[in-house]
Amino acid sequence: MMRRDDAIRTLARQRGDAIVFAVYNAAFDLRRVAPNPLNLYSAGAMGQASSQALGLALGMPERKIILLDGDGSLLMNLGSLVTIASVAPTNVVHFVCENGCYEANGAHPIPGRGRVSFAGMARGAGYPHVFEFDELDRFTAEVPRILLLAGPVFATLKLVPGDPSPLDYAYINSREIRREFKAALKAGGEGRSS
Amino acid sequence: MASEPGPRGAEIMFALREAKVEFVAALPDIWTSAGLLWPLSQNQDFRLIRVCKEDEGISVCAGLNLCDRRAVMMMQNTGFLDSINAIRAIAVEFGEPICMLVGLLQKEPDRPPNRSESYGVRIVEPILDAMGIDHICIEDSADVALLAPAIDRAYANSRPLVALIGRQVRP
């Protein structure tokens, strides 16, 4: 099983000028290990990150949008798999960090833990490229190819937490973070360092 | 109020163009289906995104706003009620100018929304007031003139807007 912070480091090395949108603990890890003005963080608003990522992808079709979704988050917005596959933006790479629990809310297990297949659901929804990774070496080898595919691409990352990250909910839920992100986009990616 | 027929879909589309709206996220609402959503689906001026659930549409609009692209979400009052948490978080607390066209299914033509016999209609305006959300009500063609300025106001102030559609939209 991969550590989440290691997987995020791997992804960050290959991202280029892509936007990386992460929720909950993936957001805290991303901010700690790979800060970038083109990172967007959120608590997700009950699974809404995937739909916000679709809006970003439609608004900026020339830019790669990498989403680090949560398994509990995606379960709250499963219809978004069908919507994204239907709209079929070629610039979306939708990762789901599968840790099998609501880590931010006491680590209670998600329904279907260990049985539900997020990759299977994405395939059934119509994503043309679907992957599943549980080893860092294989993920590291495949990331460059995944990021070059015409999407939407879906990949489950079976993970365990890595080193703890500061849980700054006030920051990731702030209006400022979105204003800074917009400013970074307008500046071509320069600006905020966190 | 009762003597005037409902607004025309073409008038609403004109107002959306005037407000520089490019994208429309939607779930079907029988109040706006024939008069607005079907014509809009065939109009090259708009990119229609059909979503599975209304809160998805709220979020799609938010993502578009992050890249300065204007959008509206079309839904029925039932979908609005189902999306309250997404609207609370994304539109109100994150300060995103989410603009929503909300059909008030079965609102009586001779009554304002908050005096409707329908519970699902009657509670919508008090909820919007409690959430501090700007809202207008479109009952007839004259009311459509309110729409573009209200959308501009939402984007200028980074605050959400709900345009209640109080009558069936005519083709």
Side-chain angles (χ1 to χ4, degrees):
Chain A
M1 200 78 85
M2 291 182 286
R3 284 170 41 134
R4 185 173 50 228
D5 51 3
D6 287 340
I8 289 173
R9 283 189 188 93
T10 295
L11 188 59
R13 281 194 290 272
Q14 301 290 336
R15 67 183 286 179
D17 67 350
I19 288 162
V20 181
F21 183 14
V23 299
Y24 283 105
N25 289 74
F28 297 129
D29 284 354
L30 177 67
R31 189 177 179 215
R32 174 172 60 87
V33 305
N36 188 298
L38 294 178
N39 288 349
L40 180 62
Y41 314 105
S42 175
M46 298 181 71
Q48 292 301 305
S50 50
S51 302
Q52 291 188 70
L54 174 58
L56 284 167
L58 290 169
M60 292 183 290
E62 74 291 349
R63 179 88 75 158
K64 185 75 77 180
I65 311 295
I66 298 171
L67 172 64
L68 290 168
D69 210 352
D71 49 2
S73 294
L74 182 56
L75 286 176
M76 293 186 190
N77 194 9
L78 281 174
S80 68
L81 290 176
V82 177
T83 303
I84 292 169
S86 174
V87 175
T90 57
N91 54 332
V92 167
V93 185
H94 186 172
F95 291 104
V96 170
C97 298
E98 183 180 351
N99 60 5
C101 68
Y102 297 101
E103 188 177 336
N105 293 295
H108 296 273
I110 60 168
R113 176 180 185 167
R115 295 191 304 278
V116 65
S117 168
F118 291 96
M121 287 194 283
R123 199 173 287 114
Y127 277 66
H129 307 287
V130 177
F131 302 89
E132 200 170 65
F133 298 101
D134 59 5
E135 293 175 359
L136 185 63
D137 288 348
R138 191 173 147 250
F139 179 57
T140 302
E142 291 280 2
V143 163
R145 182 172 75 90
I146 287 174
L147 295 183
L148 287 175
L149 288 169
V153 177
F154 184 94
T156 301
L157 308 178
K158 292 178 180 284
L159 297 161
V160 294
D163 292 333
S165 297
L167 305 181
D168 190 349
Y169 281 101
Y171 178 71
I172 70 165
N173 283 327
S174 66
R175 292 184 180 201
E176 289 67 30
I177 201 170
R178 301 174 83 86
R179 278 202 287 268
E180 289 169 5
F181 176 75
K182 286 185 79 166
L185 282 179
K186 284 181 178 162
E190 302 301 321
R192 175 166 57 90
S193 61
S194 58
Chain B
M1 184 187 294
S3 61
E4 296 294 329
R8 289 193 182 278
E11 296 163 345
I12 294 175
M13 285 193 284
F14 183 86
L16 294 176
R17 278 192 295 269
E18 194 179 6
K20 301 182 174 58
V21 169
E22 302 173 79
F23 295 86
V24 178
L27 261 94
D29 158 32
I30 198 62
W31 224 224
T32 55
S33 169
L36 181 56
L37 186 53
W38 276 119
L40 193 147
S41 74
Q42 292 150 8
N43 190 308
Q44 299 298 311
D45 290 344
F46 303 101
R47 172 89 186 263
L48 176 63
I49 304 129
R50 295 189 184 274
V51 294
C52 297
K53 205 154 160 287
E54 288 81 357
D55 52 1
E56 285 183 59
I58 302 300
S59 300
V60 169
C61 292
L64 285 161
N65 178 57
L66 287 170
C67 22
D68 281 332
R69 310 290 293 271
R70 288 194 177 190
V72 298
M73 172 65 202
M74 285 178 60
M75 58 186 153
Q76 195 169 281
N77 54 315
T78 49
F80 165 78
L81 294 170
D82 194 56
S83 303
I84 290 290
N85 186 62
I87 296 167
R88 183 273 309 166
I90 295 166
V92 179
E93 295 197 321
F94 294 171
E96 294 286 356
I98 308 300
C99 296
M100 296 160 266
L101 303 182
V102 177
L104 296 176
L105 182 65
Q106 295 178 339
K107 188 191 83 63
E108 304 83 349
D110 57 341
R111 298 181 185 199
N114 61 5
R115 295 182 62 190
S116 173
E117 286 293 322
S118 166
Y119 175 76
V121 169
R122 194 167 68 237
I123 64 174
V124 170
E125 282 188 321
I127 289 171
L128 291 169
D129 290 337
M131 296 176 77
I133 295 176
D134 186 15
H135 55 94
I136 60 174
C137 189
I138 296 174
E139 295 270 0
D140 55 39
S141 293
D143 292 335
V144 179
L146 302 171
L147 184 57
I151 292 173
D152 286 338
R153 187 166 66 239
Y155 279 89
N157 298 324
S158 288
R159 297 187 61 175
L161 165 76
V162 169
L164 300 168
I165 309 295
R167 300 281 294 273
Q168 187 151 22
V169 177
R170 294 178 292 154

